[in-house]
Amino acid sequence: EMLTDDDLLCATRAIVHCSLAVTADLLAHLGEIDARQLYLGRAFPSMFAFCVSELGFSEDVAYNRIAVARLGRRLPSVLDSVRAGQVHLTGLRILAPHLTEDNLEPTLAEAAGKKRCEIEALVARLSPQASVPPSIRKLPERAPALANAEEESAPPLLAFTEAAEVEASFPA
């Protein structure tokens, strides 16, 4: 059956909504598997290895989901943010080390609907890093033979004069 453009877009939004709910539930389960260390009973040395080999996640998907699942165990309302589609998993992973119970709600509200680079800027404001002090270092000396060869092959330098001097040298 052929859907109209509007019906296709509406159905796609409904599927995304369902997907977000499933993702939130999956994260809750992953967090519990991690907390119970059930991956050890399956002969996996880590939750990451379990997710990649047992569940078939790619490495980046496993990394993001594990990080957000752990965040969800520490701060359960994060999973509500996932379920509502407010902040994407990559954004939550970036925010995870900086979120506390005190800053959770305002930070999630500020991160809602933001792109990765915007969330990175938010993190920079949350946890500013000290600037690297300027440093001066001595450059290594050039080998004398190399320096002479470069000088000989360099084009001649041209001298520039003031425009008034150039004009004065031409007869009127």
Side-chain angles (χ1 to χ4, degrees):
E1 157 184 348
M2 191 71 161
L3 295 174
T4 66
D5 292 351
D6 288 340
D7 290 342
L8 177 61
L9 293 172
C10 184
T12 301
R13 285 187 199 97
I15 292 169
V16 168
H17 181 73
C18 291
S19 171
L20 293 170
V22 169
T23 298
D25 291 342
L26 174 62
L27 292 170
H29 281 76
L30 291 175
E32 188 64 25
I33 290 168
D34 189 32
R36 295 183 190 186
Q37 296 185 333
L38 297 179
Y39 52 86
L40 294 174
R42 298 271 203 194
F44 291 104
S46 66
M47 184 65 181
F48 181 81
F50 172 78
C51 286
V52 171
S53 297
E54 179 82 8
L55 301 179
F57 294 167
S58 66
E59 289 86 351
D60 60 321
V61 167
Y63 184 73
N64 278 351
R65 288 182 178 173
I66 292 167
V68 177
R70 289 175 177 164
L71 176 63
R73 289 208 35 98
R74 185 168 56 92
L75 301 166
S77 64
V78 165
L79 298 180
D80 295 332
S81 179
V82 171
R83 188 177 309 280
Q86 294 169 334
V87 184
H88 51 80
L89 293 183
T90 300
L92 289 169
R93 178 192 41 84
I94 293 168
L95 286 168
H98 310 282
L99 291 175
T100 65
E101 287 185 21
D102 294 334
N103 72 5
L104 178 66
E105 295 307 319
T107 303
L108 289 182
E110 188 173 350
K114 298 280 194 300
K115 295 183 281 186
R116 177 187 176 136
C117 61
E118 295 169 317
I119 291 174
E120 288 170 341
L122 171 60
V123 166
R125 286 195 317 274
L126 284 174
S127 301
Q129 300 293 316
S131 61
V132 177
S135 64
I136 299 175
R137 64 182 179 88
K138 183 178 178 181
L139 292 175
E141 300 271 336
R142 290 197 295 180
L146 180 60
N148 290 337
E150 287 178 0
E151 289 172 8
E152 290 173 7
S153 65
L157 295 176
L158 301 176
F160 292 95
T161 58
E162 292 293 324
E165 293 176 30
V166 172
E167 290 176 3
S169 66
F170 289 106

